[in-house]
Amino acid sequence: MTIINEIPMLLSTSMNQPQKAEQIIERMFSMIELFNIERLNFNAVLILCLAAGETYITLGQPEKAMEYLRKYTDICCNLQMPMRIRGDDFFDHIDATLNKLEIGSEAPRDESLIRESMFCALRENPAFSQLAELPEFQYLLKRLERYRGEEK
């Protein structure tokens, strides 16, 4: 998780090397898939999806940015409730460790606030302003807006 958490910073320092930035993104998402991080810690993957989208906008590749923004939206709209970090068959000690913590494994914020922040992270991010008029981007916002209004 330490490596995954440091990727946005690494990307920001690699903007003047487009091939390296793209390689960082590809390798990171390979690692996410390999270790099933999307299921284990969805928030880390959401942050990386936004970082990848911002990177591709900066690199002048809006179509690649949209690929990661679609992934961001899909993850948001398919989250299991209650939102929580969890283990799996491979990482089989995570649940026990988290249950010992005072805050546990569930999100420390109200789910409606989390849904709102997921929507705002896409809608209000200045890096994505050039995508605002694209029908596909509008569709992603509508999906998140519907998700934001769903009951628990």
Side-chain angles (χ1 to χ4, degrees):
M1 290 310 302
T2 301
I3 293 170
I4 289 171
N5 291 334
E6 295 301 321
I7 290 301
M9 180 62 72
L10 184 60
L11 281 173
S12 70
T13 63
S14 300
M15 288 299 173
N16 59 347
Q17 300 172 309
Q19 289 177 324
K20 184 171 185 167
E22 191 159 9
Q23 187 178 46
I24 291 167
I25 292 169
E26 288 172 7
R27 286 184 181 201
M28 186 49 37
F29 279 93
S30 292
M31 196 163 93
I32 286 168
E33 186 176 330
L34 177 66
F35 288 106
N36 198 20
I37 303 298
E38 186 177 320
R39 181 183 182 286
L40 301 171
N41 187 343
F42 67 88
N43 191 54
V45 180
L46 291 176
I47 291 167
L48 289 175
C49 286
L50 291 173
E54 292 170 0
T55 299
Y56 281 118
I57 287 294
T58 302
L59 297 177
Q61 298 182 43
E63 65 288 338
K64 292 284 277 186
M66 286 300 298
E67 180 181 322
Y68 288 96
L69 299 183
R70 277 191 300 276
K71 183 171 184 60
Y72 173 86
T73 303
D74 288 344
I75 293 169
C76 288
C77 293
N78 291 310
L79 284 174
Q80 295 177 1
M81 301 298 169
M83 296 176 190
R84 61 188 285 272
I85 295 173
R86 59 180 53 100
D88 64 7
D89 292 341
F90 183 77
F91 294 106
D92 55 357
H93 290 86
I94 291 175
D95 290 331
T97 301
L98 289 172
N99 288 334
K100 292 177 186 174
L101 299 176
E102 190 172 318
I103 62 170
S105 63
E106 292 190 17
R109 295 189 306 163
D110 180 71
E111 288 177 9
S112 63
L113 292 174
I114 294 170
R115 290 174 192 232
E116 178 70 21
S117 66
M118 285 189 250
F119 172 72
C120 291
L122 195 61
R123 184 189 66 190
E124 296 176 9
N125 188 323
F128 305 137
S129 62
Q130 67 178 288
L131 303 173
E133 300 303 318
L134 294 177
E136 185 175 6
F137 188 78
Q138 289 297 316
Y139 172 72
L140 297 179
L141 289 176
K142 284 182 177 147
R143 281 187 66 202
L144 288 169
E145 191 167 27
R146 278 193 307 273
Y147 176 73
R148 178 179 69 169
E150 287 179 6
E151 296 292 320
K152 289 185 182 179

